[in-house]
Amino acid sequence: MSINIKDAQDVFKDAGESVDFVILNLKRENVEKEREVIAEFADLQNSIINSMRIRNQNDQLAVAWGFSSDAWDYLFPNADKPRELAPFKEIKGPKYTAPSTPGDLFFHVRAKINAVVYEVLDQFMDILRPITTVVDETHGFRYLEGRAIVGFIDGTENPAGVESMDYTLIDSDDDPEFANGSYAFAQKYNHNMDAWKALPTDEQEKTIGRRKFSDRELEEDEKSPNAHNIVSKDEEGGVEHKIVRMNVPFSDPSKDHTGTYFIGYSKSFHITNTMLTNMFTKSDRLLDFSTAVTGTMFFIPSKSVLEKIADGDL
């Protein structure tokens, strides 16, 4: 196995204090012009990020961005394609559906303060705005003690630190041309918080499969049969396969609109898709309170591939 974390974008577990997720569509009015702008952006984005890190050294800026399958086909029709890059297919379970929604470009920007996130995305959009339209922009935040908005600690079972790269980065043995890239799945959920808050704490714990205060995992016989931490796993072949996942809260309290933006980074989208399939076909108990409203898969290129895009060599 061979990966190089220095060649990778920020696809590790670091939800940040302030987060912005942006999905854009290309206008598809002039492919040559749009390809030129994307090349310009691929060339400039690293200096924008580095400049902000110098100016705000303690604010922990992290950025990942990439392309959907449709965008890749449109911009780089003669180039090879990442092995698993394809449109996400809707998953229809007996009760709930994971929809497939459009999007060409994806951005995940996070930092300790919102001003840094704003400044980076403002500079990004100065370049990209003429060739794109906005599909969705969601502003997220770090909730108390790093908990998901439903009140439970987020990401306890996530691979941590450098170890996470073994789960998120494509190995050169598997797809050499796109080594150190990653697959990202972005999915937005709206929550029925009134119904969730009305659920007694012990029932919430059975739903998630963990204690709410201590974060300790429940014994198997204490959980609901379709508890979230049972059905959201990929244990294909008797081995648990992991991804790096973040559940980022967002809310407009005055509008009673609260939800979770799920982002999952993986070296193989097959793993993420298996987790999603399990959740929706086995009717994850958490879905009784959470409605998936978006779902799009993207490829996050390595820095080496971004350099090729900038040079027009893809």
Side-chain angles (χ1 to χ4, degrees):
M1 183 175 74
S2 178
I3 58 175
N4 178 5
I5 62 176
K6 294 180 180 179
D7 191 35
Q9 294 195 56
D10 298 329
V11 294
F12 46 81
K13 174 68 170 73
D14 179 15
E17 303 284 330
S18 181
V19 191
D20 208 347
F21 296 99
V22 177
I23 294 178
L24 306 174
N25 269 343
L26 295 162
K27 289 184 177 178
R28 286 174 166 74
E29 295 174 344
N30 183 330
V31 66
E32 292 300 327
K33 174 63 175 177
E34 290 168 38
R35 193 181 293 123
E36 288 176 6
V37 173
I38 292 297
E40 178 189 11
F41 178 74
D43 182 47
L44 293 176
Q45 52 87 35
N46 195 51
S47 62
I48 293 171
I49 294 168
N50 286 343
S51 174
M52 186 55 62
R53 285 174 174 161
I54 292 169
R55 293 156 61 191
N56 295 72
Q57 296 181 26
N58 299 319
D59 288 321
Q60 299 174 7
L61 172 65
V63 179
W65 71 280
F67 305 88
S68 70
S69 176
D70 288 346
W72 191 275
D73 292 341
Y74 175 70
L75 292 168
F76 317 117
N78 300 317
D80 292 335
K81 193 172 181 179
R83 185 173 297 170
E84 293 188 54
L85 184 57
F88 172 63
K89 295 181 180 179
E90 174 185 281
I91 301 170
K92 194 169 185 63
K95 294 175 66 177
Y96 305 113
T97 298
S100 173
T101 52
D104 287 327
L105 306 177
F106 170 72
F107 299 85
H108 177 194
V109 181
R110 61 268 202 208
K112 290 184 71 174
I113 62 171
N114 191 53
V116 169
V117 176
Y118 159 77
E119 181 66 21
V120 168
L121 275 168
D122 186 53
Q123 291 191 44
F124 283 2
M125 290 308 299
D126 278 346
I127 302 169
L128 295 171
R129 192 172 290 111
I131 65 161
T132 61
T133 58
V134 179
V135 177
D136 181 73
E137 181 170 6
T138 300
H139 300 271
F141 57 91
R142 183 183 187 275
Y143 192 44
L144 304 173
E145 299 180 309
R147 295 177 184 268
I149 201 67
V150 293
F152 287 76
I153 297 293
D154 179 51
T156 301
E157 300 296 331
N158 257 339
V162 175
E163 176 194 4
S164 68
M165 297 304 183
D166 292 335
Y167 296 90
T168 57
L169 299 186
I170 297 170
D171 193 305
S172 61
D173 294 337
D174 295 331
D175 199 354
E177 188 173 353
F178 299 104
N180 307 313
S182 184
Y183 295 100
F185 181 71
Q187 187 178 45
K188 192 173 179 178
Y189 289 87
N190 292 333
H191 298 318
N192 183 342
M193 293 301 292
D194 289 340
W196 177 255
K197 290 175 181 178
L199 203 64
T201 298
D202 64 330
E203 289 298 320
Q204 291 184 359
E205 291 176 339
K206 291 177 182 178
T207 296
I208 300 298
R210 307 189 76 88
R211 297 290 179 202
K212 192 170 186 178
F213 177 73
S214 69
D215 194 39
R216 293 288 297 275
E217 185 169 3
L218 299 182
E219 298 295 334
E220 293 303 307
D221 60 358
E222 296 179 291
K223 303 175 183 179
S224 297
N226 57 342
H228 179 65
N229 72 350
I230 293 177
V231 300
S232 63
K233 290 181 178 179
D234 173 7
E235 296 181 317
E236 194 173 12
V239 177
E240 184 178 359
H241 305 279
K242 294 187 177 185
I243 66 173
V244 168
R245 65 182 84 192
M246 290 169 254
N247 293 293
V248 180
F250 65 88
S251 185
D252 297 310
S254 63
K255 299 177 182 177
D256 194 24
H257 178 215
T258 296
T260 293
Y261 203 108
F262 168 78
I263 176 66
Y265 292 110
S266 61
K267 63 182 179 182
S268 169
F269 181 67
H270 175 74
I271 299 171
T272 310
N273 199 55
T274 298
M275 293 175 173
L276 293 165
T277 300
N278 289 342
M279 285 177 59
F280 283 85
T281 59
K282 297 178 181 180
S283 299
D284 187 333
R285 170 69 170 138
L286 189 56
L287 294 176
D288 291 341
F289 309 91
S290 309
T291 302
V293 293
T294 69
T296 318
M297 195 261 274
F298 300 91
F299 173 67
I300 309 299
S302 67
K303 294 175 183 177
S304 297
V305 170
L306 292 179
E307 288 177 5
K308 290 182 179 180
I309 292 172
D311 292 339
D313 293 335
L314 201 64

